[in-house]
Amino acid sequence: MTILDTFFNAEILGSAFPALLRGLLNTFLLGLAGIGLGIPTGLIIGLLRLYGPKPVRYMAVFYIDIFRAAPMLVVLMLIYFALPFVGIRLSSWTCAILAFALVMAAYMAEVFRSGIEGIPSGQFEAAAALGLPFLITLRKVILPQAVRVVIPPATNNCVSMFKDTSLASTVALAELMKEGLDAQALYANPTPLIGAALIYIAFLWPMVRLVGMLEKKFSREKAR
């Protein structure tokens, strides 16, 4: 059997392609859900980390440190396999979304914290001099500036989130990698796995390039 027949078998890839597309759809929905829940939750945690009462700040720091230190796979498997022992049984979809959102929120909390702390303190002082309440200052003065700063690292975290969705195969969720593995076992050929890898690259490469473009754009603006 030639290398092409082993790794790039067009007939097998054609047969497995519909399943891979189904997996891609699930990967997209799973990543979108984790990002959609993780980013706003991360913003809230980041604000509590900066401006909450001291006990709340400590709790926010603890949350951020724990979920940034714990591997995504460990968080996913704890939710899926450990919670049933205390009577909490969740579907594969719910477990995966919850795990991804918890970890995404921890990383985004640090991103938002860094972005907000990068805004000159004079902005707060100027807003206070104008009589603006603290929450309005945050919403209309600080956060609009911080968002521009955090877009590149936030986009990078989104790329990582879509890549981490491949771990959902460990809880029997039929995302792209799971479909590739099932097709590889069905056809006794690695071509479906190669196809899944190429789909990941085609899907995520534009986002990777977008991160680079945004970093260059904001670097030029900052240098002006």
Side-chain angles (χ1 to χ4, degrees):
M1 184 176 288
T2 66
I3 292 179
L4 286 177
D5 288 334
T6 301
F7 295 103
F8 301 98
N9 191 303
E11 182 179 353
I12 291 177
L13 182 59
S15 299
F17 197 67
L20 295 179
L21 287 183
R22 288 196 303 271
L24 175 62
L25 177 60
N26 289 338
T27 290
F28 178 75
L29 294 176
L30 185 58
L32 207 61
I35 292 167
L37 292 173
I39 288 179
T41 304
L43 174 59
I44 294 171
I45 295 171
L47 291 174
L48 292 175
R49 160 77 174 80
L50 288 171
Y51 307 116
K54 186 174 290 187
V56 175
R57 294 203 302 269
Y58 288 150
M59 290 173 61
V61 170
F62 179 77
Y63 173 92
I64 292 168
D65 287 349
I66 290 299
F67 281 100
R68 290 178 71 205
M72 179 75 79
L73 182 60
V74 172
V75 177
L76 184 62
M77 297 190 74
L78 282 175
I79 293 174
Y80 188 75
F81 292 108
L83 289 184
F85 284 94
V86 293
I88 302 175
R89 299 183 181 276
L90 305 173
S91 68
S92 296
W93 271 97
T94 304
C95 287
I97 291 172
L98 180 59
F100 295 149
L102 287 172
V103 175
M104 183 70 172
Y107 279 95
M108 288 305 303
E110 277 298 279
V111 169
F112 281 116
R113 180 196 61 79
S114 176
I116 292 171
E117 287 186 336
I119 304 301
S121 58
Q123 300 280 346
F124 283 100
E125 296 168 0
L130 293 173
L132 293 177
F134 178 74
L135 290 179
I136 294 180
T137 300
L138 270 181
R139 184 167 61 89
K140 293 190 174 182
V141 179
I142 303 301
L143 287 180
Q145 297 179 74
V147 165
R148 291 177 60 82
V149 177
V150 306
I151 284 177
T155 307
N156 197 48
N157 283 344
C158 291
V159 173
S160 297
M161 174 58 60
F162 279 114
K163 290 193 292 185
D164 286 341
T165 57
S166 61
L167 299 174
S169 60
T170 59
V171 296
L173 199 155
E175 44 70 57
L176 179 56
M177 183 54 64
K178 180 69 165 59
E179 293 288 2
L181 288 169
D182 289 347
Q184 182 256 343
L186 176 64
Y187 296 105
N189 187 286
T191 296
L193 286 179
I194 301 296
L198 293 175
I199 290 174
Y200 270 119
I201 293 170
F203 174 52
L204 293 176
W205 182 78
M207 294 182 66
V208 172
R209 293 306 311 145
L210 177 62
V211 173
M213 292 169 59
L214 289 173
E215 288 176 345
K216 290 180 180 179
K217 179 176 184 296
F218 291 126
S219 295
R220 287 196 300 268
E221 291 181 355
K222 189 176 181 179
R224 292 175 183 173

